[in-house]
Amino acid sequence: MRNARSGTLRRALTRALCVAALLSGLPAGLGAASAAPAAATLQTGAQLAASWTGPLSTRGRWIVDADGNRFKLKSGNWEGAQGTWLGSGDIGDPANHMHGEPAHNMPLGLDRVPMAKILADFHGLGINSIRLPFSNALLHDPTPVPDTAVAANPQLRGATGLQVFDAVVAALTADGFAVILNNHTTTARWCCGLDGNERWNSGQSTEQWIADWVFVAERYRQNKRVVGADLRNEIRRDVMDDPNWGRGDSHDTNAAFEAAGNRILQAAPDLLIVMEGINWYGIPLNGLPHGRPMLTPVRTLSNTLIASGKLVYAAHFYAYTGPANSGAGSGLGSTDDPRYQDFTPAELAQVVDQEALFVTQSGQHFTAPVWISEFGAGGRGSNDAKEQAWLRNFTDILVANDTDFAVWPLVGWTKDGAPLDSWALLSYAPDGTRLSIEDAGDWRITDWRRLITAPGRTGPVAQVEHWSMLNLDHTDYVVSARMLALPDWDGGARKAACPDGQRLTGLGRSDGRGLCTDSAQPAPTDTPYLRVTDERYVTGGDWAPGYNKLQCPDDQLAVGYSVRGAAMASLLCARANAPLPASGRNVWFDHGDNRPANGGSTGSDWAPGYYKGQCTDREYVAGVAFTWKWTHGGVPDALLCRPLS
């Protein structure tokens, strides 16, 4: 959440204290869219509900509904249930809550406005979906909310925070909105600094975090308009340690997100799994490493889920932060790095592409939709010319790329006719009087209307082929639901298995990386998969003289493999439902890359630093050759690629 808006004294002091703690070593506590013109129109709840069918999934860079029609996330963040307390002072004093708006761990506004009125105002903004933050603490708190906190919604008196959350989800989805649940915080405390909410396992174990997600997924499983699980908000450094993307330790964001996503899909297969990158690493001081990589690491280490078509990546952009700028205004934590608002329009477009929108490039191992799940600016009463120019430039980028988005935040309060949080699109007085971005005096309205009514792709989206990365860098990588339900098929080895419906199409040399695809994939049979550990199935002559070979039987294709160290240990083979050609060709990659010039995922590196071998998109891996001679160490040297037809 945005991060308490630059310019407030409280935030400046918080940042200074955070950096001081870091230094003292205290213990840890632009691809263009091919779009058909279409202008958005405001819809009632009934009209919105009739316009789409849940659940949602993905096809390439697009999100689609159950009928295969593009569903663009035009979203807003209805914050509050993640906690608003700033972490010091009496929690009952509004002055100790962000913007003086105590939410009592519920979506804001329920004390002031009936829920039906809030939802009607959401429709008036033109949005179709809600990012709904929550804390892990909310799930375990049996305390009823204060009656005063639901004064405008007396039907909620006596309910716990979680029961209020249930009621909000039910009301939103009944009114046609798609709901994406967002695990924003661990504690019921405002984020995002050194507040105990830095990582998914801050203040809790990874297993507890995953268990909480499974609980939430199962709780809303039957509601097909609850469409997504946004796994964690703004992963960042705590006092002592950075998060990372791929090191295989307890701070490995890539591995934790993948484990959670697959467990969620086993419990609730319809959900989209939304993954943010790393929001911050390092210490924000000139001369020390630091930055906001966001989705940049996905370029060489993406995620594979047990269900193709369920992964969405997300990123956050605010004017006062930057690729290496924490957003601190001055003093400790302030660096000379440019902020996003300092870039020219062309420079901003380039950096947004580098940090996020490159993921929408088609036909790569990382291809997925990108949802800008937080952006925004101070509106009414703000005279920050650089922030205003930034919002216009950033809106241009979202419009030009037909990008899914979620503004932060939707709801705030007013006092004496002025908003307490000028970033909110809707603010309510104690008597329920509304102040909207649509009302006179809010400079953001031109950019908002342009964004919400921008033409974009609509209608049916064709099915796409997938390329999925396998990663045996540290441990097993079995992303086949079928194989996960079976006992360990090669004890002591690191094992990889393609998602069900995909086959092996490439291997890296020496690192255990692999590539799967469903391009022209023949349907598999229900017969058991076969583990091959020797040369008994080698047919058609010795296709790699002097080399050890693992080869699937005729009419079977490789769908997985195992390694010991870096050496090949076995192939996992699946029978196709029709005969496969027995002819083939060797693809050697012992002295350099050997990948098809125009094949899938050839524009991206799925095994950085290693030679790669890859069959064409209309071939399958039938065998792998390797040797221990010449210090090769048993790593794959060649693939036997056979045509699918």
Side-chain angles (χ1 to χ4, degrees):
M1 84 183 52
R2 303 345 92 224
N3 286 335
R5 326 305 176 247
S6 63
T8 67
L9 177 61
R10 182 184 297 275
R11 189 60 183 167
L13 290 172
T14 299
R15 285 202 178 98
L17 291 171
C18 290
V19 175
L22 287 166
L23 295 175
S24 66
L26 294 174
L30 291 180
S34 55
T41 57
L42 303 185
Q43 295 177 309
T44 66
Q47 290 170 330
L48 179 58
S51 70
W52 68 283
T53 305
L56 302 182
S57 57
T58 71
R59 293 182 180 177
R61 63 147 293 182
W62 310 105
I63 296 171
V64 298
D65 73 0
D67 297 322
N69 295 313
R70 197 278 173 96
F71 186 89
K72 183 175 182 176
L73 293 177
K74 299 181 179 183
S75 319
N77 284 268
W78 190 3
E79 60 108 349
Q82 82 289 340
T84 54
W85 184 50
L86 290 169
S88 62
D90 180 5
I91 197 172
D93 185 347
N96 297 322
H97 290 258
M98 193 60 203
H99 305 297
E101 300 172 339
H104 298 281
N105 306 323
M106 300 181 300
L108 274 167
L110 299 179
D111 61 326
R112 301 179 170 220
V113 192
M115 204 182 310
K117 171 58 176 170
I118 295 176
L119 269 56
D121 291 343
F122 289 171
H123 287 297
L125 294 173
I127 60 177
N128 61 13
S129 43
I130 303 293
R131 183 177 185 247
L132 199 60
F134 69 90
S135 70
N136 294 95
L138 176 73
L139 307 180
H140 303 281
D141 187 353
T143 308
V145 300
D147 287 352
T148 55
V150 290
N153 291 273
Q155 75 277 13
L156 299 176
R157 288 178 181 169
T160 67
L162 180 56
Q163 289 168 337
V164 172
F165 197 81
D166 290 340
V168 168
V169 169
L172 284 167
T173 55
D175 225 32
F177 291 102
V179 171
I180 299 93
L181 307 170
N182 163 239
N183 178 224
H184 211 78
T185 52
T186 303
T187 67
R189 178 179 170 184
W190 180 269
C191 95
C192 296
L194 293 177
D195 48 39
N197 297 307
E198 294 87 358
R199 294 188 310 275
W200 64 94
N201 55 359
S202 295
Q204 61 187 352
S205 68
T206 296
E207 270 306 308
Q208 180 60 57
W209 172 68
I210 293 176
D212 280 355
W213 257 123
V214 171
F215 167 80
V216 169
E218 290 177 338
R219 191 175 187 88
Y220 303 114
R221 175 175 177 167
Q222 299 305 318
N223 188 338
K224 301 308 178 187
R225 295 194 192 276
V226 176
V227 298
D230 183 353
L231 297 180
R232 187 71 178 189
N233 184 72
E234 295 192 7
I235 302 296
R236 56 199 181 276
R237 181 185 175 95
D238 61 15
V239 175
M240 295 296 292
D241 297 304
D242 282 325
N244 67 78
W245 194 267
R247 292 184 186 170
D249 59 17
S250 63
H251 295 176
D252 186 344
T253 309
N254 172 275
F257 279 6
E258 203 151 84
N262 284 326
R263 288 273 294 277
I264 291 167
L265 287 173
Q266 288 172 318
D270 288 332
L271 289 176
L272 294 174
I273 303 299
V274 181
M275 301 184 185
E276 295 180 30
I278 294 174
N279 187 67
W280 185 261
Y281 77 92
I283 301 175
L285 287 178
N286 288 330
L288 294 178
H290 57 268
R292 300 182 68 240
M294 291 201 286
L295 299 179
T296 305
V298 172
R299 191 179 294 275
T300 53
L301 182 57
S302 59
N303 297 87
T304 301
L305 297 171
I306 59 174
S308 301
K310 287 297 182 182
L311 175 61
V312 174
Y313 285 112
H316 295 175
F317 289 94
Y318 291 96
Y320 62 90
T321 59
N325 196 307
S326 71
S330 61
L332 290 174
S334 178
T335 66
D336 296 331
D337 304 293
R339 305 171 192 270
Y340 293 115
Q341 66 187 20
D342 296 328
F343 292 117
T344 67
E347 291 169 338
L348 181 63
Q350 182 179 32
V351 77
V352 170
D353 183 68
Q354 290 170 343
E355 292 191 313
L357 295 186
F358 75 90
V359 172
T360 62
Q361 179 186 350
S362 64
Q364 308 305 317
H365 67 85
F366 51 69
T367 302
V370 171
W371 182 36
I372 305 301
S373 57
E374 285 189 23
F375 77 102
R380 194 180 309 275
S382 172
N383 297 308
D384 188 333
K386 294 189 76 171
E387 185 174 66
Q388 292 184 15
W390 171 84
L391 184 63
R392 295 190 182 102
N393 294 335
F394 190 69
T395 299
D396 286 343
I397 294 169
L398 297 180
V399 169
N401 289 277
D402 198 3
T403 301
D404 301 73
F405 61 85
V407 68
W408 180 279
L410 287 174
V411 176
W413 292 1
T414 61
K415 182 178 181 181
D416 300 327
L420 294 180
D421 179 2
S422 68
W423 290 51
L425 271 60
L426 301 164
S427 298
Y428 298 98
D431 65 359
T433 302
R434 186 195 71 191
L435 184 64
S436 170
I437 189 175
E438 296 279 352
D439 297 327
D442 196 316
W443 64 268
R444 301 171 298 174
I445 187 57
T446 300
D447 296 315
W448 177 252
R449 286 176 177 165
R450 185 162 55 94
L451 179 61
I452 209 72
T453 62
R457 179 166 185 167
T458 60
V461 178
Q463 293 282 0
V464 299
E465 297 174 332
H466 301 90
W467 284 268
S468 304
M469 198 189 70
L470 299 177
N471 170 21
L472 284 179
D473 290 0
H474 305 291
T475 188
D476 286 358
Y477 204 91
V478 178
V479 285
S480 159
R482 178 175 180 177
M483 294 306 297
L484 286 171
L486 298 175
D488 189 337
W489 49 274
D490 195 354
R494 301 197 314 281
K495 296 164 286 295
C498 296
D500 296 333
Q502 295 191 33
R503 68 184 183 278
L504 190 65
T505 192
L507 284 174
R509 191 172 186 273
S510 299
D511 72 336
R513 294 278 182 95
L515 186 69
C516 304
T517 188
D518 56 10
S519 176
Q521 174 80 356
T525 66
D526 293 330
T527 57
Y529 289 174
L530 174 68
R531 181 169 68 96
V532 175
T533 60
D534 54 34
E535 299 188 13
R536 73 184 67 186
Y537 299 108
V538 174
T539 58
D542 189 347
W543 53 273
Y547 282 74
N548 300 82
K549 290 168 285 294
L550 299 173
Q551 184 173 329
C552 294
D554 292 346
D555 296 333
Q556 296 197 29
L557 35 76
V559 294
Y561 57 98
S562 65
V563 298
R564 284 180 167 80
M568 289 297 302
S570 70
L571 271 187
L572 188 66
C573 304
R575 182 176 296 279
N577 68 349
L580 297 172
S583 60
R585 67 186 182 97
N586 294 352
V587 174
W588 289 93
F589 54 104
D590 53 333
H591 288 89
D593 269 11
N594 192 349
R595 301 196 285 162
N598 300 309
S601 210
T602 55
S604 53
D605 194 342
W606 43 269
Y610 295 99
Y611 297 146
K612 293 166 284 292
Q614 183 176 333
C615 300
T616 71
D617 298 343
R618 297 301 182 264
E619 294 178 325
Y620 67 97
V621 172
V624 180
F626 54 97
T627 184
W628 276 269
K629 300 176 183 178
W630 316 302
T631 68
H632 283 210
V635 301
D637 285 321
L639 302 177
L640 175 61
C641 296
R642 288 178 167 176
L644 288 166
S645 61

